[in-house]
Amino acid sequence: RIKKKNIRSFNGKPIILWSIETAIKSKCFEKVIVSTDNEEIGNISASNGAEVPFKRPSNLSDDHSTTTSTVIHAINYLEENIGMPDAICCLYPTAVFTSAEDIQNGLNKLKNIQEDRFVFAGCKYNSPIQRAFKINEFGYTKMIDPDYFNTRSQDLEDTFHDVGQFYWGRTKAWLSSKNIFEGSQIQFLKSTLVNDIDTEEDWKQAEYVHKYIKEDE
């Protein structure tokens, strides 16, 4: 949806470098590895502190590939060539609002939960999803659950969502292909730092907020 998204310049540098630098700064990792099938992404990453020890196969590089399958491929490579890691954090290349402290806090949570559970970045929905709507083929609204029509917002249970930034898991958990979002824990991020970058408008908004945060720091 955005051409060359992972290496497009974001506030002065290829966007993936923000994630690489954050991972290195966190001091949580023995290795920071970029999984890619793209030579340009690989070269930029390798020139800026990350390792690119393998080329991701084409069957794991299309729009239908999952995070879990990509991580498992990396684990298999590491086991065969370097050694099995204890834990892995999958950090997305556009996670510009993730801080080193967020990653550190996620790891600390991981150390205190069951081995088959995950910790991932998330936040609370700003509006109650129980009163959400769909729009039918004729353009008319339909409540997902009409039973909540007369329920006060403050009486509805809080709900949360994945923000698409990072996922901590022990190697055992990744290899089990378990549902990451079931029975795991959230490392909470402020809703102001949650931004899906899928359109040009999203990109401009993210750059503006990110620049403001960096200047404030």
Side-chain angles (χ1 to χ4, degrees):
R1 288 166 289 190
I2 297 177
K3 190 175 181 180
K4 293 189 174 182
K5 176 179 175 180
N6 291 343
I7 52 174
R8 177 172 167 176
S9 179
F10 183 95
N11 282 341
K13 67 181 75 172
I15 194 169
I16 193 173
L17 296 192
W18 292 104
S19 291
I20 292 172
E21 290 172 3
T22 297
I24 294 171
K25 185 179 178 182
S26 75
K27 298 181 179 179
C28 290
F29 307 105
E30 292 181 13
K31 292 182 178 294
V32 176
I33 292 173
V34 172
S35 174
T36 182
D37 68 327
N38 183 282
E39 185 176 354
E40 187 176 7
I41 293 175
N43 290 338
I44 289 173
S45 300
S47 299
N48 288 276
E51 298 181 32
V52 191
F54 56 81
K55 183 177 181 180
R56 196 163 78 208
S58 57
N59 65 308
L60 295 178
S61 303
D62 59 26
D63 291 338
H64 303 288
S65 301
T66 66
T67 294
T68 300
S69 61
T70 301
V71 172
I72 290 175
H73 173 263
I75 290 172
N76 290 336
Y77 174 88
L78 292 172
E79 182 181 19
E80 293 175 8
N81 296 277
I82 299 172
M84 185 71 85
D86 295 322
I88 287 180
C89 178
C90 177
L91 178 65
Y92 283 170
T94 56
V96 292
F97 294 112
T98 293
S99 68
E101 185 179 10
D102 292 327
I103 294 176
Q104 293 163 354
N105 290 339
L107 177 57
N108 289 334
K109 281 191 175 183
L110 186 73
K111 292 176 180 177
N112 294 298
I113 63 175
Q114 294 172 238
E115 289 190 359
D116 61 343
R117 307 298 173 91
F118 292 85
V119 175
F120 62 90
C123 74
K124 188 176 81 169
Y125 278 103
N126 290 325
S127 300
I129 64 170
Q130 297 90 340
R131 301 187 67 181
F133 299 90
K134 295 189 292 185
I135 299 177
N136 67 19
E137 58 184 310
F138 304 107
Y140 294 105
T141 56
K142 176 178 175 55
M143 285 192 73
I144 291 177
D145 195 336
D147 291 342
Y148 290 108
F149 173 67
N150 288 315
T151 305
R152 299 184 309 166
S153 296
Q154 59 265 42
D155 294 331
L156 295 171
E157 185 178 11
D158 287 340
T159 54
F160 308 87
H161 65 93
D162 162 41
V163 300
Q165 295 196 21
F166 67 85
Y167 309 85
W168 266 114
R170 293 182 178 83
T171 301
K172 177 180 177 180
W174 285 110
L175 292 175
S176 72
S177 297
K178 181 185 174 184
N179 183 340
I180 291 175
F181 307 127
E182 189 69 29
S184 296
Q185 290 196 4
I186 291 177
Q187 176 59 42
F188 289 97
L189 271 63
K190 296 178 181 178
S191 60
T192 52
L193 301 183
V194 175
N195 193 317
D196 283 333
I197 305 178
D198 294 324
T199 66
E200 290 294 335
E201 184 178 0
D202 294 338
W203 189 282
K204 291 176 182 178
Q205 179 179 340
E207 275 194 310
Y208 178 82
V209 174
H210 187 266
K211 184 178 181 181
Y212 175 81
I213 291 170
K214 292 301 177 183
E215 288 176 351
D216 188 53
E217 290 176 351

